[in-house]
Amino acid sequence: MASQRLKRGVRGAIAATAVAAAAVGVLPVPAGAQPNTASDALKKYNELAEEATKLNEELLRAEEQRDNNQKLLDQANADLAQATQAGDQAKTDEETFRVQVDKLTEASFEGARFNQLSALLVSDSQQDFLNRMSALGVLAADNGEALDKLAGAVNAAESAKTAASDAQGRAQKATDESTKIADDVKKRQNDLNGQIDEVKSQLNRLSAADRTKLADPGDTSEIAVPSGSAGGALAFALEQRGDMYRYGATGPDLWDCSGLTSRAYASVGVTIPRTSNGQAGAGRAISRGEVGPGDLIIYNGGNHVGMAVDNANVVHASTDGVPVKIVPLEAPGSIYAMRRIG
């Protein structure tokens, strides 16, 4: 904990230095190019940041879908290879059995065809005839069973091969679609990042007090956490207070909202989905009155997530330019879901 306090102290000193530098570094902005007032700039910044957070979640979901489809494709390829091998083996068996069946079919006693008539003609006695007929029945039954099994094996292998090929095609199509989605989202995020950069430059016109408030990590005091995985995950999240936000980041010193919560639970050996939308379905639903340390609070239609510190506060990675901090539970936005992990 002492090292963590030192880490937070360094963060605070860096933030204070940045604020002081920004206070004397205000640059003129062309008329009409940016919002006209500091308040307008901050409002526009927050709007674009919220939109970027949403876009970041869409990108993460698309990449998750793409990865899942790749797993399906890999499984389909494995199934196809296995089915192909089984089909090849079945064809080899078919040729082997075909030779055996042909030999039996062509076999004869005393140069006659191996059938009931030839058995009768070449038999020396009634008992000899019965013996020959018995042998003929056994051979016929064996051949029929072998052929039936062989046909079943060939049909099963061909069916498996066809099914695997179809699965491969579906998985490949889904993978291609997910890749297109991810590429499209990346492009939109790049466009939006350009807008955010413009708004960030306008933030130089904010007052020093407003900039200090924006960069303030809030309460960084020691907070007791309960035992168990939820308490351990919360302790991890609280240790990241003061770290800055970055889209798509999962640590160790930069985070997005779901990157922080997923890594927090991973630190105690619990796997939850990477995205906030996915985390909205993790664990079990709880009511507002049940919310306690370590619970996940999902906001804004599934586009943001924080971790409850208690029934009144959450710790979260907010948005670009704002450090991980504790805020009132309702502050991040409209509550979409509340989930208890474990």
Side-chain angles (χ1 to χ4, degrees), residues 112-125:
R113 298 293 298 172
F114 191 31
N115 52 34
Q116 292 185 15
L117 178 59
S118 63
L120 175 61
L121 293 176
V122 300
S123 296
D124 295 329
S125 66

Side-chain angles (χ1 to χ4, degrees), residues 131-292:
N131 291 339
R132 292 176 185 272
M133 288 301 298
S134 177
L136 178 64
V138 170
L139 291 173
D142 287 345
N143 286 337
E145 182 180 1
L147 286 172
D148 288 343
K149 288 182 177 180
L150 178 60
V154 172
N155 290 336
E158 289 300 321
S159 297
K161 182 177 179 180
T162 300
S165 180
D166 290 342
Q168 181 186 23
R170 291 194 302 271
Q172 183 63 62
K173 180 180 179 181
T175 298
D176 293 342
E177 290 176 351
S178 293
T179 300
K180 291 179 182 178
I181 293 173
D183 291 342
D184 179 60
V185 174
K186 286 179 181 178
K187 179 181 182 303
R188 284 187 284 158
Q189 182 172 326
N190 287 336
D191 293 341
L192 190 58
N193 284 342
Q195 292 176 294
I196 290 177
D197 288 341
E198 294 178 5
V199 176
K200 282 182 177 179
S201 68
Q202 183 64 21
L203 290 179
N204 284 328
R205 298 183 62 179
L206 290 175
S207 67
D210 284 341
R211 289 195 298 276
T212 299
K213 183 178 180 180
L214 190 66
D216 182 13
D219 180 8
T220 59
S221 64
E222 299 291 339
I223 295 176
V225 300
S227 60
S229 59
L234 176 58
F236 181 95
L238 290 171
E239 287 177 359
Q240 315 315 314
R241 283 176 290 176
D243 284 354
M244 296 306 293
Y245 182 97
R246 178 177 290 176
Y247 301 107
T250 58
D253 297 313
L254 295 168
W255 310 90
D256 68 10
C257 63
S258 56
L260 175 63
T261 50
S262 61
R263 280 292 299 276
Y265 268 100
S267 73
V268 293
V270 178
T271 300
I272 62 174
R274 166 66 179 88
T275 66
S276 58
N277 187 266
Q279 291 175 22
R284 65 177 178 87
I286 56 174
S287 68
R288 177 65 182 84
E290 294 178 287
V291 170

Side-chain angles (χ1 to χ4, degrees), residues 84-126:
T84 300
Q85 183 178 6
D88 291 342
Q89 183 62 51
K91 290 178 181 178
T92 300
D93 291 343
E94 180 182 14
E95 292 303 319
T96 299
F97 278 102
R98 191 186 305 279
V99 171
Q100 294 177 0
V101 170
D102 287 346
K103 287 181 178 179
L104 289 169
T105 302
E106 296 298 328
S108 62
F109 290 105
E110 304 290 334
R113 298 293 298 172
F114 191 31
N115 52 34
Q116 292 185 15
L117 178 59
S118 63
L120 175 61
L121 293 176
V122 300
S123 296
D124 295 329
S125 66
Q126 189 175 38

Side-chain angles (χ1 to χ4, degrees), residues 29-61:
V29 179
Q34 296 288 347
N36 295 322
T37 68
S39 296
D40 287 342
L42 183 57
K43 180 180 178 181
K44 183 65 174 177
Y45 173 84
N46 288 334
E47 290 174 352
L48 289 172
E50 182 176 349
E51 187 177 350
T53 299
K54 178 181 178 181
L55 195 57
N56 180 58
E57 275 298 307
E58 292 176 356
L59 172 61
L60 291 174
R61 291 176 209 168

